[in-house]
Amino acid sequence: MSISRNLGAAVAAGVFGLVLAGPAAADFPTRPVSLIVAYGAGGGTDVTARMLARDLESALGQPVTVQNITGGGGWNGWAAIANADPDGYTIGYINIPNIYAGYLSPDVSRDENLDSFTLLMNHVTDYCVWAVAPNSPFQSVNDVMDAVASGRVSITAHGFGGDEHLAIMRMEAAHGVSFSIVHNNSTADSITQVLGGHVAVLGANVSEVATMHANGELRVIGVMSPERSAFLPDVPTFREQGFDQVWSVSRGIAAPAGLPAEVTAKLLDALETTIASDAHRTAAEALSLAPEVVKGDEYVSFLVETEQEIKALMGW
């Protein structure tokens, strides 16, 4: 799953939930804005959000406060965004593909879905990786796939239906193999298990392992990006190793459905100005993050197409 692929025709005339502005919207913003993160402090989304909040304050002229609302596979936070007043003062991150399991899975069946949000724009795309402990016998993705073809190989994932889990499932489906998948509450837990020799392979994202790879604390053996990552230039992509696998977590910004058009326009302008600034891009690169602005119909199209792919992959 990658935003940079050909997305096809747009599927909507604008973002979901757009309505006309009222008198109060013309003055937006006149007070602080809350930026909700559906995961805990210190994780990839939280780090991304705090970087954005700091820089977004200048563009909006108001404080932007990060609020961590955890639990429910992310849906405690996403529901808080969807159910807030559609006035622009509550926005938040939606994580793709993680968000889909909550309303597509028959075991969860939440009432909220994409229509519950005004979908503003993508912020960063963080590609999936496989990594191993420095002393692991696995030197490449091919080594892992050869091993799993002849026996069980354990691999970590951060949550059922999350990007790492779906990437593993795509590899299983494409190559007729089956991994022993160990689900954890955080990538930090997964890293501990792999370094301790309890699990063979780590499923994670570039931003979570680039520094550890550079320091020799982990060894990344493949990146699921279209081209080599600037943050892991010595690591071949899955495609280079013979596996047509491009997959990532995309962190985008959303507001409740029904956001007034004038507020939507102001938020989009402030977000785009912030993300395009040299200071923001420098800060993102220091965290091994790659800003990728996709907005409007193109963003909606990407989300809907990914939703359909996940339904097919998971049998939902």
Side-chain angles (χ1 to χ4, degrees), residues 47-211:
V47 170
T48 303
R50 293 181 188 279
M51 175 184 65
L52 178 68
R54 180 194 63 219
D55 296 343
L56 187 59
E57 288 185 350
S58 297
L60 288 176
Q62 291 289 341
V64 179
T65 304
V66 173
Q67 183 180 5
N68 298 91
I69 302 178
T70 63
W75 267 102
N76 288 352
W78 297 323
I81 300 169
N83 295 320
D85 291 334
D87 54 14
Y89 292 100
T90 300
I91 59 176
Y93 275 87
I94 57 171
N95 299 68
I96 307 302
N98 307 44
I99 196 170
Y100 297 110
Y103 65 89
L104 292 180
S105 171
D107 295 329
V108 184
S109 299
R110 294 195 64 95
D111 293 332
E112 302 95 347
N113 55 36
L114 291 182
D115 293 319
S116 304
F117 303 95
T118 299
L119 303 166
L120 297 172
M121 68 167 60
N122 185 69
H123 180 199
V124 297
T125 302
D126 201 358
Y127 287 99
C128 294
V129 302
W130 283 3
V132 295
N135 61 350
S136 169
F138 297 139
Q139 300 296 317
S140 67
V141 174
N142 279 288
D143 287 348
V144 174
M145 296 304 290
D146 288 345
V148 76
S150 57
R152 301 289 278 179
V153 173
S154 57
I155 186 169
T156 71
H158 181 186
F160 183 84
D163 56 297
E164 302 103 331
H165 181 214
L166 291 164
I168 296 165
M169 292 186 66
R170 292 173 98 232
M171 289 291 283
E172 289 179 326
H175 301 284
V177 298
S178 180
F179 283 91
S180 176
I181 302 174
V182 179
H183 289 285
N184 291 307
N185 291 324
S186 69
T187 301
D189 290 342
S190 296
I191 290 172
T192 298
Q193 290 176 338
V194 171
L195 292 180
H198 306 294
V199 182
V201 182
L202 171 71
N205 299 100
V206 169
S207 70
E208 297 171 320
V209 299
T211 299

